Amino acid sequence: MDSTPSLVIIEDHEPDFILYSHVIKDAGKKLELIWISNGQEAVDFFQDAVRTQQAMPSLILLDLNLPSYSGHELLRFFKKDPGLQGIPIVILSSSGLGGEESQVLSQGAEAFIQKPLELDKLSEELNRVIDHWIPN
């Protein structure tokens, strides 16, 4: 990776990834976006990055509902590995379960974004967390 900060988006639903990409680019963010579409791919990607001592991303956006490994399992994986635990993780979830936000925050996630239906709200939330964790 070059000096451009990178953002890994772990999201199995391609239209959501495309939407996030457009929101980020429309806000003028200069980021390398990396899309990972399932839990196993995420584990493989990050284990390889640690093994080969690659630069880590500046931020991970993590969907909770993924094939292979759930977002909850990946969050535990990231927070348990000394080479990964320093990467900020923001959870994206469409679930309306009441205790989910407090659960992932107690497991080490830095923030929780309830996937909103309105584009303006999504843009506001994504830009808020990116600006906080990847300052210009």
Side-chain angles (χ1 to χ4, degrees):
M1 289 184 211
D2 60 23
S3 63
T4 302
S6 62
L7 168 63
V8 171
I9 301 174
I10 305 173
E11 168 65 64
D12 64 319
H13 193 236
E14 186 175 11
D16 283 352
F17 170 74
I18 292 168
L19 177 62
Y20 303 152
S21 299
H22 286 299
V23 165
I24 292 165
K25 288 176 185 169
D26 288 350
K29 307 292 184 201
K30 304 264 190 277
L31 299 171
E32 176 187 1
L33 298 180
I34 300 166
W35 178 38
I36 297 177
S37 63
N38 67 64
Q40 184 63 57
E41 186 182 338
V43 169
D44 294 345
F45 176 88
F46 282 99
Q47 284 179 335
D48 185 56
V50 168
R51 184 179 49 75
T52 60
Q53 299 180 344
Q54 295 177 26
M56 291 298 158
S58 302
L59 179 65
I60 296 172
L61 297 179
L62 175 60
D63 182 27
L64 286 181
N65 299 314
L66 295 168
S68 304
Y69 290 92
S70 72
H72 291 282
E73 291 169 313
L74 286 176
L75 181 57
R76 286 190 294 274
F77 165 77
F78 289 125
K79 295 305 176 179
K80 188 172 83 173
D81 188 306
L84 302 173
Q85 59 191 198
I87 305 169
I89 299 174
V90 174
I91 301 298
L92 300 165
S93 179
S94 57
S95 173
L97 297 176
E100 195 162 60
E101 180 175 1
S102 61
Q103 180 184 10
V104 296
L105 293 175
S106 71
Q107 293 173 335
E110 278 65 35
F112 180 93
I113 297 176
Q114 180 75 35
K115 290 182 185 179
L117 299 176
E118 303 86 28
L119 184 58
D120 290 345
K121 183 69 173 165
L122 175 64
S123 179
E124 178 185 317
E125 290 295 313
L126 283 178
N127 285 303
R128 179 182 60 80
V129 298
I130 291 169
D131 288 344
H132 181 79
W133 295 104
I134 311 174
N136 288 337

